[in-house]
Amino acid sequence: MSGETLPGTPGADERRIVLHVDMDCFYASCERLRDPELADEPLVVGMGYDADETHGAVATASYEAREFGVESAQPISTALELLPRRDEERLDDGDADAGYYRPVDLEFYEEIADRVREVLHDCADVVREVSIDEAYLDVTGRTSWQTVDGDSRTLAEGFARHVRERIDREVGVPASVGVAPNMSTAKVASDHDKPDGLVVVEPGEVQQFLAPLPVESVHGVGPVTARELGELGIETAGDLAAADPTELRNRFGERGRELYDRARGYDDREVTPTGRPKSLSRESAFVEATDETDAKREKVRALAADVAERARRRGAMYRTIGVKVVTPPFDVNTRARSLSGPVDDPDLVESVALDLLAEFADDEVRKLGVRVSKLSFAAEEQASLDGWEGSKPAQTSEGNASRSDDAAEVTETTGDLRQWLDADEHDDAAAADSGPGRQRNGQASLGEFE
Ligand code: TTP
Ligand code: MG
């Protein structure tokens, strides 16, 4: 089937089913996963924070801690004034007005995020990951806007509930999900009833849903824009939808028009899959520099197996295998070997990496890394035969860096990450959608969030 849209069919977007999944207080939920004692407690996760100290800033706070006024990007010292730190040494410290504080452990959160991604990819044909805890799914081919007899709820709602439950069951962290016929409305919907929310906006209800919401709810409107809009008497999404688009464009440029469209619930962006990495790498440091051959070889073996496994999971073949060897004080040596054609061969990754390591057999080593590059990907899944799917452009492009892969790069990495990443050939195409303030390693930077 060609799957073409019939001529004159209004708004193909009306039929689309887009899910936006955003994990609830994500870093805090990860901390709770490994320490169930933190469940239901006020919990603050601090960036640049060390146990018992007062420096750093809030990365996130559990919903219980938010009740005290603690919020992202606040200095830890301010959070401590609002919510004193619980004395965890004292077993009887049952002070209801005290909270737990934990430092950010991005490596662990990335592992959890990877497991969530696996569920999402299993649930949808197209997944666009936009940050460590957020993704859009196009599930048009998997469910429908229809209702079943005797139930006013759509099949899409049941599907979204199933996605949320799978994340909870298989990973153990809570998510909020928004369902709508387009991306920007799905995003607003996922945020509408956090935490543990499920908000479904059916095609005929988009404008009605958006209209009463404060204008800050429109995706892309931060506090600064909201203030400027307020000066024009625009307080709600409905006000924005009713405003004069020419005036908005004069005041805010092209963005004004875009925000106007979003407030009206018009957004024809396709959910495009997160781009592909150009290389995959993993590295790991020794606790202390070592010249022991066995220790070095053992680490390289583990890294090689890990990288090869990730490549296989992503359907990637590689033509170049490389190692990175960091010797004291901080000398970074990279060596690589190219093959005659692309392979998916974990044994070869190991043997080539060990071979390249041999040059450093007598050297003291601080850190080791393994990388596969010159990646190519097997053909994409065939378009499904249900007609609508087939109308989408084939997704066969290669070469965009993905946030998820950047994130994955970080997983086993400490210290001089940049050098290895810089050596990797990433492009930034996918990063443009990652939202303000999100650095490409999945950790948000402070002060940049609108
Ligand atoms: P968010 O999804 O914005 O926040 P959240 O998941 O903590 O809470 P919510 O339930 O409202 O979605 O960001 C995801 C993670 O990114 C968050 O857990 C920690 C990190 N982050 C920062 O490090 N700094 C910040 O300023 C923000 C907003 C987030
Ligand atoms: Mg979140």
Side-chain angles (χ1 to χ4, degrees):
M1 266 184 87
S2 71
E4 281 168 288
T5 305
L6 294 174
T9 308
D13 32 306
E14 287 290 287
R15 282 184 304 267
R16 285 193 302 150
I17 306 173
V18 179
L19 261 57
H20 181 255
V21 178
D22 189 315
M23 311 307 296
D24 299 322
C25 54
F26 184 57
Y27 292 5
S29 299
C30 293
E31 291 296 338
R32 285 171 165 173
L33 199 55
R34 61 177 165 193
D35 185 357
E37 204 188 324
L38 301 173
D40 304 322
E41 296 286 349
L43 167 62
V44 178
V45 181
M47 198 186 303
Y49 166 77
D50 290 305
D52 301 324
E53 298 292 343
T54 58
H55 52 234
V58 177
T60 194
S62 71
Y63 281 78
E64 293 79 2
R66 293 181 197 192
E67 298 275 304
F68 291 82
V70 179
E71 55 186 45
S72 295
Q74 216 166 40
I76 288 287
S77 53
T78 309
L80 283 166
E81 282 167 24
L82 298 164
L83 175 68
R85 186 166 32 213
R86 189 182 159 113
D87 182 355
E88 294 188 43
E89 299 295 309
R90 278 183 48 197
L91 290 174
D92 61 342
D93 187 3
D95 187 351
D97 286 341
Y100 291 83
Y101 284 72
R102 293 284 182 272
V104 163
D105 177 358
L106 198 59
E107 213 171 284
F108 177 59
Y109 311 151
E110 285 292 356
E111 263 173 49
I112 307 301
D114 256 346
R115 285 161 55 192
V116 173
R117 285 179 196 124
E118 268 176 42
V119 174
L120 299 182
H121 281 272
D122 211 32
C123 290
D125 301 317
V126 184
V127 178
R128 179 167 196 87
E129 294 145 6
V130 288
S131 78
I132 189 169
D133 86 327
E134 200 187 328
Y136 292 93
L137 280 58
D138 189 324
V139 297
T140 313
R142 303 260 184 138
T143 182
S144 114
W145 283 119
Q146 284 169 359
T147 54
V148 273
D149 290 344
D151 192 345
S152 60
R153 290 173 302 183
T154 59
L155 291 169
E157 175 171 343
F159 187 87
R161 181 166 288 120
H162 159 80
V163 172
R164 210 178 48 162
E165 281 168 7
R166 273 196 64 183
I167 299 171
D168 188 36
R169 198 171 53 240
E170 295 175 30
V171 191
V173 283
S176 291
V177 178
V179 189
N182 62 57
M183 291 172 76
S184 64
T185 310
K187 164 104 182 159
V188 177
S190 75
D191 203 36
H192 192 64
D193 190 27
K194 266 181 164 292
D196 210 23
L198 172 59
V199 174
V200 181
V201 187
E202 292 180 39
E205 300 173 345
V206 173
Q207 292 183 15
Q208 206 180 319
F209 166 72
L210 294 171
L213 303 179
V215 77
E216 291 93 319
S217 312
V218 176
H219 183 29
V221 178
V224 177
T225 311
R227 207 172 317 122
E228 279 189 60
L229 289 168
E231 285 163 14
L232 302 174
I234 297 170
E235 306 283 348
T236 64
D239 295 341
L240 184 54
D244 176 359
T246 314
E247 203 181 306
L248 290 170
R249 183 182 287 187
N250 290 344
R251 177 98 181 217
F252 299 98
E254 207 35 55
R255 206 172 133 253
R257 172 75 209 199
E258 199 175 286
L259 296 177
Y260 168 76
D261 280 340
R262 290 185 179 176
R264 286 160 58 229
Y266 179 79
D267 176 9
D268 63 357
R269 286 175 302 158
E270 285 223 24
V271 182
T272 50
T274 319
R276 264 114 177 238
K278 289 195 169 180
S279 63
L280 294 166
S281 62
R282 190 143 281 190
E283 61 184 56
S284 172
F286 290 101
V287 179
E288 264 178 51
T290 180
D291 58 4
E292 275 184 42
T293 306
D294 283 351
K296 289 187 284 188
R297 287 175 63 86
E298 196 43 50
K299 200 180 269 293
V300 161
R301 265 195 211 100
L303 293 168
D306 196 291
V307 166
E309 157 69 17
R310 275 169 59 210
R312 182 164 285 179
R313 251 197 291 146
R314 288 165 190 280
M317 314 250 278
Y318 29 88
R319 273 190 55 197
T320 300
I321 298 166
V323 295
K324 169 179 170 178
V325 180
V326 182
T327 51
F330 289 102
D331 295 328
V332 180
N333 308 279
T334 54
R335 300 287 182 273
R337 186 171 301 160
S338 285
L339 313 165
S340 53
V343 297
D344 163 13
D345 185 343
D347 290 343
L348 193 64
V349 178
E350 178 181 306
S351 61
V352 169
L354 286 173
D355 221 27
L356 295 169
L357 174 73
E359 182 188 333
F360 304 89
D362 300 326
D363 295 329
E364 238 194 356
V365 171
R366 301 180 74 100
K367 186 189 277 188
L368 289 166
V370 172
R371 177 173 63 181
V372 293
S373 54
K374 293 236 165 60
L375 303 185
S376 52
F377 291 84
E380 289 277 344
E381 280 177 9
Q382 294 290 312
S384 73
L385 294 177
D386 68 4
W388 305 122
E389 282 289 288
S391 66
K392 290 178 183 163
Q395 303 290 346
T396 53
S397 66
E398 289 182 14
N400 291 333
S402 88
R403 283 186 57 78
S404 60
D405 284 298
D406 292 334
E409 299 283 0
V410 178
T411 306
E412 285 248 324
T413 305
T414 49
D416 56 346
L417 164 74
R418 289 304 331 163
Q419 289 154 343
W420 191 234
L421 275 186
D422 286 345
D424 286 0
E425 308 160 52
H426 283 82
D427 78 35
D428 270 339
D433 202 17
S434 26
R438 302 294 160 90
Q439 290 168 357
R440 304 191 62 231
N441 63 3
Q443 173 152 20
S445 61
L446 294 172
E448 291 176 277
F449 282 76
E450 263 217 330

